[in-house]
Amino acid sequence: MDHALAEALEAKHAQLEAQIDEEEHRPHPDDIRLHALKKEKLRIKDELVGH
């Protein structure tokens, strides 16, 4: 995997983690949004490890 691509994916993964954390700490978290964010984060993680 290209180093620049890996760095971009890692940055996106960290951004998604921050969005998930922010959503989870809202008074009324949006479960649908949380599910979508977590699914995207997992997709990126799988891509990073080469699955």
Side-chain angles (χ1 to χ4, degrees):
M1 176 180 293
D2 182 345
H3 184 68
L5 176 59
E7 283 185 359
L9 288 171
E10 288 172 4
K12 180 68 175 169
H13 189 269
Q15 179 185 23
L16 286 166
E17 179 65 33
Q19 290 176 341
I20 290 167
D21 187 58
E22 181 180 326
E23 188 66 36
E24 288 178 332
H25 290 92
R26 288 181 36 180
H28 301 288
D30 182 343
D31 291 333
I32 295 171
R33 177 169 163 73
L34 273 173
H35 178 74
L37 290 169
K38 288 179 179 181
K39 187 174 181 180
E40 179 67 11
K41 182 180 161 197
L42 182 59
R43 185 193 65 77
I44 290 172
K45 182 178 178 184
D46 285 347
E47 191 172 340
L48 279 168
V49 297
H51 285 117

